[in-house]
Amino acid sequence: MAELAYREALRRALIEEMDRDENVFLMGEDIGRYQGTFRVTAGLFEKYGARRVVDTPISEPGIVGISTGAALMGLRPVVEMMTMSFSILALDQIINHAAKVRYMSGGQFSVPLVIRGPGGAANQLSAQHSHSMEGWYAHVPGLKVVAPSTPSDAYGMLKTAIRDDNPVIFTENPGLYGIKGEVDDDEFLVPFGKAVVRREGTDLSLVAYSRMVHVCLEAAERLDKEDGVSVEVVDVRSLVPMDTDTIFASVRKTHRAVVVYEDWKSGGFGAEICTRIQESCFDDLDAPVGRVGGLNVPMPYARNLELQCIPNADDVVEKSRQTLQGVI
Amino acid sequence: MRRNGKGASFLSTKESKKSKSKPSASNGKPTRKELEQLVEDLRWMYRIREFEDQSMRAFRNGLAGGYLHVYTGMEAVAIGWIGEKREDDPVIAAYRDHAYPMLMGVSPYEVMCEIMGRRDGTSKGKGGSMHLYSAEKHFFGGWGIVGGHTAMGAGLAFAIKYRGEDRVALCFYGDGAANAGIVYEAMNMASLWDLPVVFLIENNQVAMGTRLEYHAADPELHKRAVGFGIEHERVDGMDVIQVRKDAARILDYVRKNQRPYVVEVMTYRFAGHGAADHDQSLYRSKEEVEQAKKRDPILLLSQYLLKHGAIEESDLEQMQKEAEKEMAEVYEKASAAPKPDPHEVYEDVYTDMQPEEGH
């Protein structure tokens, strides 16, 4: 069992899958000679050459379009978006082309394409580089969307993504690249559509994915220490397909839920999770489903304002206390 | 690199003097084999035209909905280019797409079923007129976002090159699509990476209802390849004999040199943009259409074949009648074909799972 940083775990998955399958290749801006903006692809250009690690012009729609065409022919492209914010340029190629061709062709074609990259706020990247895009993509039939929170999941889910025959949006919060965690030395896959309970509890369920899982774990710790309540943390990790069974089982146990997501609060994917809980667990709930999301403003530059926008443990603790009224 | 701008206007009744090709067969004595091929081409022209008439009839009778774009007048382009490509050379195209899959071996019945939204359609009735596909015949669609498929066209060629295959990708798009930005991202990468793809502009000189001179700063669209260092030219698209020669030469160039190519094929649609284009006077005169019909591909080819004694007048009538009968039967059979079952609505969204059911 080795301790790997999140970015190293991703890199290990890329190497193993490229070694396993000649059809897997990487494409993106500055991923080769420049080693990748977040160094996920460091050394891979030297290892595999320009044929399989393709440096592209700054042409996101073109990159996704060419990759989709190659995928229609049976190759398995892994596209890096320098940031998921740039994938907005390629929305037409992703949504109108890659996601729909299987349906529009009556199942004749599939698109084994992975689009991966950092999604969410980093450190003062301001309004155009801080988007959380996963909710946009989770809205679209034909796409699978995952958001792993740990190095082990990053490794196992990227391998699953590359082997999936459907287009997969694989979002990596930039705040996670440096975090370290145990990753089994033996090869393994983490399946899509399986949530995981990161911390057991009995009084409240915090439901989150990606970096917000860590924020929830911190909040849970504080609620335990400061209020003496037992908080469960559910890591959704796969948005499409979503494992509602695990989420509902947790809510039916604790009778209270707060959903936490970094994306803009209004219309974000967390709202979908809240609705699912409300639709299926209404009789089990002792309080309205709480929600913590990003502030509904373009991301500001000033660090204090930026931090104000991104949900933190304080925000989660505060909402949890409201939801726990009567218990504490 | 050739700049033969006005060399091959669709209105020109002369042979293109500047063509790189050897003189058209119409100038020399054609072989028996060539003539047989051309008779087949003429048969196809009638079949496609009759098919399109039946598809319009389906629309008028409420058996086809949405958008319907017919290929009438442009037949020589697809017949020539698909006729000259190899069987496994992949093709991708826009939404005026009925002719390509039929020329590649898909039955008119399956295409008509798709247009009528029937289960026997190429996409089981879930694609429609604009979204025809055939994985088996290497037809990659059938796309409705103008210009959006051109990068995938380059992607087909990327896969060909990646695997070291001896194939050429053929990407058809229109003069309207030539103004979409993604076309130029695709051209840049195709040239940068030496991809074997033909960007084939079917310039029918009007983007829906906006004429070429109102939508293109320089109406010679092939010249846009200059910035990417791609070979380019404008050629005729009405005389199938010339189309075949240009296609053979350009496909051969791409195959041998492993380089992309931009070819602007001048053509004309005799029908409206789509079935719902009710007033063509908004963008063109009757006189213009009549003038263009002097170079109707059926007329040009039948005159040539008559001149060389390959057919007689009565054969023309016979071919037309056969095509009419065949496509009328296709219409009848498709209109009686079963519709998709309601449960099929969830199928083929993903390869391995279904979306959540219900409203």
Side-chain angles (χ1 to χ4, degrees):
Chain A
M1 188 84 80
E3 188 168 75
L4 289 182
Y6 192 95
R7 66 159 60 81
E8 292 164 349
L10 292 168
R11 186 170 170 279
R12 179 182 150 194
L14 291 175
I15 290 170
E16 287 179 9
E17 292 306 300
M18 288 180 81
D19 287 344
R20 187 185 62 83
D21 185 352
E22 174 77 12
N23 287 325
V24 177
F25 70 96
L26 313 183
M27 188 177 262
E29 296 159 1
D30 283 317
I31 64 164
R33 296 163 183 88
Y34 189 73
Q35 309 296 311
T37 310
F38 287 87
R39 299 296 183 267
V40 172
T41 55
L44 299 190
F45 182 83
E46 290 70 20
K47 186 171 166 58
Y48 295 103
R51 174 172 168 262
R52 297 186 70 194
V53 181
V54 185
D55 275 325
T56 67
I58 300 172
S59 307
E60 287 83 4
I63 295 164
V64 175
I66 284 193
S67 299
T68 303
L72 290 171
M73 293 279 277
L75 298 187
R76 308 188 81 85
V78 182
V79 168
E80 176 173 301
M81 281 289 152
M82 190 178 283
T83 119
M84 280 294 176
S85 298
F86 300 162
S87 73
I88 295 172
L89 281 113
L91 281 179
D92 176 59
Q93 289 298 311
I94 298 170
I95 294 172
N96 247 331
H97 296 83
K100 288 181 185 161
V101 61
R102 182 161 188 84
Y103 199 73
M104 292 200 303
S105 68
Q108 293 188 67
F109 287 99
S110 56
V111 179
L113 165 69
V114 178
I115 298 174
R116 53 154 291 272
N123 198 332
Q124 291 191 275
L125 299 184
S126 65
Q128 293 188 318
H129 291 70
S130 302
H131 288 103
S132 297
M133 295 296 297
E134 66 280 356
W136 300 37
Y137 293 120
H139 183 61
V140 180
L143 299 178
K144 294 186 180 179
V145 182
V146 297
S149 68
T150 67
S152 180
D153 277 0
Y155 164 83
M157 294 181 90
L158 184 53
K159 287 171 74 78
T160 300
I162 292 170
R163 296 182 194 192
D164 200 292
D165 285 332
N166 302 280
V168 176
I169 305 293
F170 191 99
T171 182
E172 306 152 5
N173 191 286
L176 294 174
Y177 284 126
I179 69 152
K180 294 197 166 174
E182 299 276 293
V183 182
D184 203 320
D185 294 332
D186 294 332
E187 181 181 34
F188 65 95
L189 300 178
V190 174
F192 290 176
K194 196 81 200 86
V196 61
V197 175
R198 293 286 178 204
R199 177 195 166 106
E200 302 257 357
T202 54
D203 298 328
L204 169 74
S205 299
L206 294 176
V207 183
Y209 54 84
S210 193
R211 196 178 75 79
M212 284 299 124
V213 172
H214 300 275
V215 170
C216 289
L217 288 168
E218 186 190 338
E221 198 64 31
R222 276 180 47 191
L223 286 160
D224 179 18
K225 283 203 183 112
E226 296 170 20
D227 302 291
V229 290
S230 168
V231 176
E232 183 146 302
V233 176
V234 180
D235 182 352
V236 178
R237 66 181 177 177
S238 169
L239 280 55
V240 182
M242 182 164 53
D243 173 14
T244 47
D245 288 349
T246 298
I247 298 169
F248 296 164
S250 177
V251 174
R252 285 177 182 135
K253 180 173 75 172
T254 64
H255 307 294
R256 287 176 168 80
V258 172
V259 178
V260 183
Y261 52 108
E262 183 182 315
D263 193 7
W264 288 307
K265 184 176 178 182
S266 180
F269 190 75
E272 176 69 22
I273 301 174
C274 291
T275 301
R276 302 285 186 111
I277 294 171
Q278 183 274 127
E279 280 177 337
S280 297
C281 306
F282 188 78
D283 290 339
D284 299 290
L285 288 168
D286 287 343
V289 179
R291 184 155 70 119
V292 178
L295 297 190
N296 287 324
V297 299
M299 190 61 79
Y301 167 73
R303 184 62 173 159
N304 65 318
L305 295 181
E306 180 182 51
L307 289 172
Q308 194 182 328
C309 290
I310 307 165
N312 58 30
D314 289 342
D315 302 320
V316 177
V317 166
E318 188 188 335
K319 179 56 74 181
S320 299
R321 285 177 177 152
Q322 288 173 18
T323 307
L324 282 160
Q325 266 177 9
V327 176
I328 50 176
Chain B
M1 206 165 287
R2 170 165 152 237
R3 290 174 183 79
N4 66 335
K6 293 175 180 160
S9 163
F10 76 106
L11 292 174
S12 159
T13 48
K14 313 189 284 274
E15 286 298 322
S16 168
K17 293 282 189 284
K18 294 179 190 166
S19 173
K20 282 183 203 168
S21 296
K22 288 171 193 158
S24 162
S26 52
N27 296 341
K29 193 162 170 57
T31 66
R32 181 171 189 81
K33 205 175 154 212
E34 282 169 338
L35 287 173
E36 279 170 5
Q37 176 67 70
L38 291 169
V39 171
E40 259 330 281
D41 286 355
L42 184 60
R43 204 182 301 281
W44 264 112
M45 286 180 188
Y46 281 118
R47 292 180 77 208
I48 292 169
R49 199 160 288 191
E50 286 303 324
F51 180 92
E52 295 296 40
D53 282 356
Q54 293 294 338
S55 74
M56 287 293 280
R57 185 178 149 215
F59 187 87
R60 282 194 306 273
N61 291 344
L63 291 169
Y67 300 123
L68 185 97
H69 314 85
V70 299
Y71 203 64
T72 306
M74 298 167 64
E75 297 91 345
V77 185
I79 289 171
W81 279 86
I82 289 172
E84 292 298 327
K85 82 173 190 70
R86 292 186 190 164
E87 195 177 322
D88 66 348
D89 289 339
V91 172
I92 192 165
Y95 48 83
R96 194 179 302 284
D97 64 344
H98 302 168
Y100 317 111
M102 291 195 286
L103 287 162
M104 292 169 77
V106 179
S107 74
Y109 170 70
E110 286 172 278
V111 176
M112 188 61 82
C113 277
E114 193 56 39
I115 290 169
M116 292 185 180
R118 307 299 165 127
R119 199 199 294 155
D120 286 350
T122 44
S123 301
K124 305 176 199 167
K126 291 195 283 204
S129 158
M130 297 190 290
H131 306 300
L132 304 170
Y133 296 83
S134 175
E136 187 197 339
K137 306 291 184 192
H138 312 287
F139 183 60
F140 287 75
W143 297 87
I145 303 299
V146 177
H149 67 288
T150 54
M152 285 183 293
L156 304 178
F158 182 95
I160 289 168
K161 186 180 176 193
Y162 188 90
R163 292 188 170 131
E165 295 171 340
D166 182 20
R167 302 165 77 185
V168 173
L170 205 41
C171 177
F172 290 84
Y173 61 103
D175 51 299
N179 295 314
I182 192 164
V183 176
Y184 303 100
E185 297 191 358
M187 278 186 193
N188 182 43
M189 285 186 264
S191 183
L192 191 62
W193 299 333
D194 295 320
L195 304 181
V197 54
V198 179
F199 293 103
L200 193 158
I201 309 164
E202 292 180 301
N203 186 348
N204 66 21
Q205 307 169 69
V206 58
M208 210 168 129
T210 302
R211 295 171 66 88
L212 185 60
E213 62 264 39
Y214 298 130
H215 75 66
D218 182 340
E220 288 186 56
L221 302 170
H222 65 104
K223 291 202 281 186
R224 296 181 183 187
V226 173
F228 307 103
I230 301 177
E231 282 284 330
H232 61 93
E233 66 185 294
R234 179 184 262 197
V235 297
D236 178 45
M238 302 304 265
D239 172 6
V240 77
I241 300 164
Q242 187 60 43
V243 173
R244 274 187 175 272
K245 284 189 172 296
D246 290 324
R249 170 174 54 80
I250 290 167
L251 288 164
D252 186 55
Y253 169 92
V254 173
R255 221 179 285 282
K256 281 193 179 132
N257 294 283
Q258 289 293 296
R259 285 287 297 159
Y261 207 101
V262 175
V263 58
E264 180 182 10
V265 185
M266 300 305 288
T267 183
Y268 199 82
R269 63 166 156 78
F270 299 154
H273 165 71
D277 179 358
H278 297 301
D279 186 3
Q280 294 173 43
S281 72
L282 294 170
Y283 60 89
R284 65 183 181 185
S285 65
K286 279 189 178 135
E287 292 71 29
E288 179 183 305
V289 179
E290 287 316 305
Q291 178 69 13
K293 282 184 176 172
K294 290 181 181 166
R295 298 202 70 232
D296 183 332
I298 290 182
L299 184 68
L300 295 186
L301 183 54
S302 51
Q303 281 173 346
Y304 177 85
L305 291 172
L306 286 169
K307 189 174 113 192
H308 286 278
I311 52 167
E312 294 172 6
E313 284 285 353
S314 59
D315 292 325
L316 294 176
E317 208 174 308
Q318 180 69 15
M319 272 191 240
Q320 160 112 35
K321 279 204 173 125
E322 276 171 16
E324 271 176 31
K325 182 167 179 290
E326 179 195 358
M327 297 311 169
E329 283 169 8
V330 164
Y331 177 99
E332 294 306 328
K333 193 177 165 200
S335 58
K339 293 174 181 169
D341 282 341
H343 74 85
E344 291 175 45
V345 75
Y346 295 112
E347 290 173 5
D348 298 324
V349 179
Y350 298 93
T351 58
D352 56 352
M353 61 183 235
Q354 285 199 353
E356 194 187 25
E357 295 191 10
H359 288 286

